[in-house]
Amino acid sequence: LAKVLRQLLEREGWDVVVAPPPGSTGLEQTLRRNFSLILLDEDFGNGFDIISLLRSTQRFNRTPVVMLVSSTENTRRALDLGE
């Protein structure tokens, strides 16, 4: 699904960056950029940890995040972290 979304977004002219997994130095480097929107998958490393990290920083605490989840329980958890 992530690959298809990437192709669709790029086709529409969006600049898409695929970040490396959490805990790697690549994620820190990626987060030095500015984003209009962040698209996460709950299975990417731990998408919930990434939302917590983003919301704890002033730079990204207002950036919209869309998270792909697989269950109602995880939807609630993602929404709670996003507030």
Side-chain angles (χ1 to χ4, degrees):
L1 180 60
K3 186 177 182 179
V4 172
L5 285 172
R6 179 182 185 171
Q7 290 172 344
L8 289 171
L9 291 168
E10 287 177 336
R11 191 176 315 144
E12 292 296 320
W14 289 90
D15 181 24
V16 177
V17 176
V18 177
S24 70
T25 57
L27 180 61
E28 291 173 10
Q29 292 172 349
T30 300
L31 292 179
R32 290 185 186 141
R33 298 183 61 174
N34 291 318
F35 298 98
S36 300
L37 171 76
I38 297 174
L39 177 63
L40 290 174
D41 186 320
E42 71 177 315
D43 294 327
F44 176 74
N46 184 341
F48 298 107
D49 288 344
I50 295 173
I51 289 178
S52 295
L53 172 70
L54 293 171
R55 292 302 178 231
S56 70
T57 63
Q58 185 172 3
R59 184 175 189 179
F60 293 109
N61 67 354
R62 308 278 296 159
T63 304
V65 176
V66 175
M67 185 170 196
L68 305 175
V69 296
S70 60
S71 69
T72 304
E73 177 182 325
N74 287 343
T75 299
R76 173 80 337 237
R77 183 174 174 201
L79 289 170
D80 289 344
L81 287 170
E83 296 178 336

